[in-house]
Amino acid sequence: MKKTIWLSIAVILASTPSLWAVEEIEKIVVSAVKTSQKASKTTSNVEVIDESVIEQRGYKSLIDVLADVSGISTTQSGGIGQQSSLFMRGMTGGSTLVMIDGVRMNDASTTDNKAILENISLDNVKQIEIIKNGMGSIWGANATAGVINIITKMPKDSFHAKVELGYGSHETYTSGANLSFKDAKFAIEAGASRVSSNGISALAPKSSEKDGVAQNTYHGTVSYKPNEQNTLSLRANKTITKANFDDTYNTLGADDAYSHSDGENRVFALEHTYNDGEYESRLGFSKSKGDRVVYTTSPYGDGVNQYKFENQNYSWINRLNYSNGTIVGGIESSKTDGFQQYNTYPSSEASYKDSGVFLSNFYHLTPTTDIETNLRYDHFDKFEDEYSYKIGLKQKDIFTPDLDLRVNYTSSFDAPSGYQMANPYPNITLKPSSTKGYEIGFNYDKIFDIAYFSNIIKDEFIWKKGLLWSDPYGYANANDDTTYNGVEISAGGYLNDKLSLNANYTKLFSMNELVTMANGDIGAKLRRAEETLHLSMGYDVNEKLSTKLLATYIGKRKDMDYNTFPAMPKETGNYTTWDFTSTYEIDSNLNLSFYLKNMFDKEYQSVYGYNSDGRTAEAKLRYQF
């Protein structure tokens, strides 16, 4: 497979001079500095996945989207709706800040502060913005690997409606409806969607009892614009997820028909925006809240595990354009709560408050040289204050026209979760872990990009325990540093007016390095693929019919079999899957899409012992005006 990978990369590189990018209006993003601005006004590489890509690929969940992004490894303990994890540039999920419209979704009731990705809906998504380097100098805690910001749609002028229906394998149903209206002063939008599936058995073998999922999402937006400069907006989102799963401690194993979870996420954001073109001010309040109840059974009796989190934030962000650049500054006050309780045992509950201030300056030093400098200070009530910074350089037309160089050096930190804070190792006070990282990248004419990255984590959170059951245990900061480094390559564009080619490749180094894992064991970095390769070829048959063929290769990936004592390492990588999608425009308002995933029915496990979907097919009809 190694030869195939390098042959694919060689084909991409050879094709690059013939590729041409699609001319489009430069995307406006908010993730780089918390205010709306052009993606070019940052030295970071902002990857934007818009709604058209989500529809073309037939993504049903956020984890599906992220699985195709370079630099991100994903795993899932079963099919749709099952527990999932992401590793951005090799780092744990709690080091990636996941947001909906800038509102934090990371869950402080978990063991690593990660977002519960399977409980985040793709309904009403305008675009997903991804930045893969330390963003603590803008966003504060838990953005050391990067940020993922899901931007929802705002109403367009006049009256619009959208309805979609879909059906696929495993009795998977998708449906959604959306209404919106906008005039000179008022805008309102409301919608709902549902995804349900009988699914597959989460645990192997696949022929066992099925573990299904049902997810309902409701959202609404209201805004008032009294004049050209001022806007007051209110957004709300609620997602309810019910899923069955297989508990490994249940004696029935894959035939566990009892274990299930009920989850609910709520997002609320109120914001006043003033924008006169050169100056923008955003004054806002936001809150995200999550409740999950997990029901299990075992020879020791039934279990009810409750998880709750709440993120609350007040902010005032200001942006000023000046002759040679842009300066952004802001102040914030936030509170984070995490709660977990198993049956009637004592709960694990903790919270912390954070007051932050940051300043960012993007400066056009010369017509071909941009410099970005960010500095942030965070004051905490439970642990020491933290400073974060970024120094970035973008040099255009280096060596040859259209070849740009970017260099970024960052310092960020991760705060412990409420669960970690409530369960420290005896006589230890947890402190935030810190990460220093850098990225060196080249971009040619927006059709080819290559980047080398390196991140070094100090005081990483670990689960510390002794050799005997009677020994003390709890969370502590690691004594040794952990390094994650690698290379990302991406290329894409049109070969002619009908045929397009896109690809991305990621290689992680030092994957055999021994580290202290979350459960206290010493071992290699688990569940991260050493190499990933994504290839896609699109062909527009005519103005109405477009098709796309996609291939994904997952390289070596290690996991552990915890059903043996001692736990034994297992290989879960080295496989390739193929997908096919097509979209037909019946008329200007109605289109039909068809998705065939894993078309050759490849058997694989991203988490050892857990199934993944085999071949699946889905058709979706979408009407909008």
Side-chain angles (χ1 to χ4, degrees):
M1 192 64 203
K2 282 271 192 203
K3 292 181 179 179
T4 304
I5 292 174
W6 290 110
L7 179 60
S8 300
I9 294 173
V11 171
I12 296 168
L13 293 174
S15 302
T16 298
S18 302
L19 293 171
W20 49 276
V22 179
E23 290 294 330
E24 60 178 20
I25 299 174
E26 184 176 4
K27 294 188 181 297
I28 302 298
V29 299
V30 298
S31 303
V33 288
K34 292 195 174 186
T35 67
S36 55
Q37 66 172 25
K38 293 180 179 180
S40 61
K41 288 194 172 184
T42 176
T43 57
S44 298
N45 187 26
V46 185
E47 188 164 351
V48 179
I49 302 169
D50 61 28
E51 61 175 316
S52 65
V53 175
I54 294 173
E55 292 177 355
Q56 289 169 7
R57 299 288 180 90
Y59 295 129
K60 288 193 287 291
S61 67
L62 180 59
I63 199 72
D64 288 345
V65 178
L66 300 178
D68 285 345
V69 177
S70 65
I72 296 181
S73 290
T74 64
T75 63
Q76 194 157 21
S77 301
I80 182 174
Q82 299 300 314
Q83 181 179 350
S84 56
S85 299
L86 75 86
F87 305 92
M88 183 179 286
R89 290 184 167 176
M91 300 170 69
T92 62
S95 296
T96 299
L97 180 58
V98 179
M99 300 172 285
I100 298 177
D101 293 320
V103 182
R104 286 175 175 260
M105 298 304 298
N106 290 50
D107 187 341
S109 71
T110 63
T111 58
D112 65 352
N113 240 335
K114 68 178 182 180
I116 307 300
L117 302 176
E118 60 270 20
N119 287 357
I120 299 177
S121 170
L122 289 180
D123 183 39
N124 199 43
V125 171
K126 175 188 176 185
Q127 62 189 39
I128 300 174
E129 301 172 5
I130 301 171
I131 302 180
K132 291 171 292 186
N133 57 35
M135 291 296 293
S137 58
I138 297 296
W139 292 99
N142 302 99
T144 55
V147 299
I148 299 169
N149 197 3
I150 302 167
I151 308 300
T152 59
K153 301 174 188 174
M154 290 294 287
K156 298 178 181 179
D157 289 337
S158 188
F159 178 73
H160 296 274
K162 177 180 177 180
V163 178
E164 61 180 26
L165 296 170
Y167 177 76
S169 302
H170 311 307
E171 295 190 48
T172 300
Y173 295 88
T174 58
S175 59
N178 192 84
L179 294 172
S180 66
F181 172 78
K182 180 182 178 183
D183 63 14
K185 292 184 177 294
F186 293 95
I188 186 169
E189 176 273 334
S193 69
R194 177 177 172 84
V195 177
S196 65
S197 177
N198 284 353
I200 59 174
S201 175
L203 276 173
K206 193 174 291 185
S207 59
S208 304
E209 169 268 345
K210 295 181 178 180
D211 297 298
V213 64
Q215 185 177 82
N216 296 333
T217 301
Y218 312 93
H219 57 84
T221 300
V222 178
S223 68
Y224 173 62
K225 191 171 184 177
N227 53 48
E228 199 61 36
Q229 290 79 32
N230 291 279
T231 304
L232 182 65
S233 63
L234 171 66
R235 299 190 189 204
N237 180 294
K238 182 177 182 179
T239 299
I240 301 172
T241 306
K242 296 179 180 291
N244 296 324
F245 66 96
D246 290 329
D247 181 16
T248 54
Y249 296 101
N250 189 316
T251 55
L252 294 176
D255 288 316
D256 172 13
Y258 174 78
S259 297
H260 61 286
S261 64
D262 297 335
E264 184 174 305
N265 283 346
R266 296 175 295 281
V267 179
F268 172 88
L270 177 65
E271 184 177 67
H272 172 265
T273 303
Y274 173 86
N275 192 333
D276 64 10
E278 296 303 314
Y279 171 70
E280 180 181 76
S281 171
R282 293 184 174 213
L283 182 64
F285 167 76
S286 65
K287 178 189 287 188
S288 64
K289 192 173 183 179
D291 295 282
R292 287 182 296 133
V293 184
V294 179
Y295 301 90
T296 58
T297 187
S298 73
Y300 306 102
D302 292 348
V304 179
N305 217 331
Q306 300 180 66
Y307 300 88
K308 299 179 181 180
F309 78 88
E310 183 173 309
N311 298 309
Q312 186 172 289
N313 177 271
Y314 297 87
S315 64
W316 184 32
I317 313 299
N318 297 271
R319 171 182 58 82
L320 177 65
N321 296 331
Y322 60 95
S323 58
N324 289 322
T326 302
I327 188 168
V328 179
I331 56 175
E332 296 181 290
S333 177
S334 62
K335 183 182 179 183
T336 300
D337 294 284
F339 172 92
Q340 181 272 340
Q341 185 177 32
Y342 180 74
N343 287 349
T344 58
Y345 289 93
S347 63
S348 298
E349 183 176 9
S351 65
Y352 63 85
K353 295 180 180 178
D354 173 19
S355 298
V357 57
F358 75 92
L359 187 65
S360 171
N361 184 44
F362 184 79
Y363 182 65
H364 298 289
L365 184 64
T366 72
T368 59
T369 306
D370 297 327
I371 296 175
E372 183 178 0
T373 52
N374 304 336
L375 178 64
R376 180 178 172 116
Y377 167 74
D378 286 273
H379 171 71
F380 294 95
D381 66 337
K382 296 291 178 66
F383 25 81
E384 293 181 359
D385 298 350
E386 293 286 341
Y387 289 91
S388 305
Y389 58 85
K390 170 187 173 181
I391 302 172
L393 168 70
K394 183 187 291 185
Q395 182 66 47
K396 302 174 184 177
D397 300 333
I398 186 171
F399 305 134
T400 184
D402 298 320
L403 180 63
D404 300 342
L405 165 72
R406 68 177 182 277
V407 180
N408 292 295
Y409 183 80
T410 62
S411 172
S412 301
F413 69 95
D414 289 338
S417 71
Y419 183 86
Q420 291 170 326
M421 292 171 64
N423 295 277
Y425 191 81
N427 302 317
I428 283 182
T429 300
L430 282 176
K431 57 183 177 181
S433 66
S434 62
T435 300
K436 287 182 169 57
Y438 67 89
E439 173 194 54
I440 301 174
F442 291 90
N443 185 285
Y444 177 73
D445 199 25
K446 298 182 181 180
I447 59 174
F448 176 79
D449 192 273
I450 183 171
Y452 173 82
F453 61 87
S454 178
N455 292 293
I456 300 176
I457 308 172
K458 183 178 181 181
D459 299 320
E460 190 171 19
F461 307 120
I462 61 170
W463 178 257
K464 186 177 181 180
K465 65 178 182 180
L467 296 176
L468 303 177
W469 288 105
S470 57
D471 288 342
Y473 54 85
Y475 286 95
N477 295 103
N479 294 323
D480 299 324
D481 296 347
T482 304
T483 300
Y484 293 95
N485 53 2
V487 172
E488 296 167 4
I489 305 173
S490 62
Y494 273 83
L495 292 170
N496 53 48
D497 60 350
K498 289 181 176 291
L499 184 64
S500 64
L501 176 67
N502 291 275
N504 67 65
Y505 170 77
T506 304
K507 169 69 175 179
L508 294 177
F509 305 127
S510 307
M511 292 306 294
N512 292 318
E513 175 188 358
L514 295 181
V515 296
T516 304
M517 295 181 291
N519 65 354
D521 293 338
I522 303 296
K525 300 166 183 175
L526 299 179
R527 299 184 180 176
R528 291 97 156 155
E530 288 190 23
E531 294 177 288
T532 58
L533 175 66
H534 300 281
L535 298 170
S536 71
M537 182 176 66
Y539 183 72
D540 298 329
V541 179
N542 51 47
E543 292 182 356
K544 291 182 175 293
L545 179 62
S546 62
T547 62
K548 193 174 290 287
L549 181 66
L550 308 101
T552 298
Y553 169 72
I554 302 296
K556 290 182 179 180
R557 181 174 58 198
K558 292 183 174 65
D559 203 349
M560 300 291 286
D561 180 3
Y562 292 105
N563 293 316
T564 64
F565 184 81
M568 298 297 293
K570 296 291 182 178
E571 176 62 49
T572 62
N574 288 317
Y575 60 86
T576 302
T577 60
W578 294 81
D579 302 337
F580 174 79
T581 71
S582 65
T583 299
Y584 180 71
E585 184 181 295
I586 299 173
D587 60 35
S588 59
N589 302 115
L590 183 66
N591 64 56
L592 177 66
S593 298
F594 175 74
Y595 312 107
L596 182 61
K597 302 295 184 69
N598 194 2
M599 56 194 297
F600 298 117
D601 203 21
K602 179 67 177 179
E603 290 282 345
Y604 66 93
Q605 296 179 349
S606 63
V607 177
Y608 180 74
Y610 286 87
N611 292 311
S612 294
D613 282 326
R615 182 191 300 115
T616 62
E618 181 187 16
K620 182 176 287 187
L621 189 66
R622 185 179 297 106
Y623 177 77
Q624 58 187 352
F625 66 87

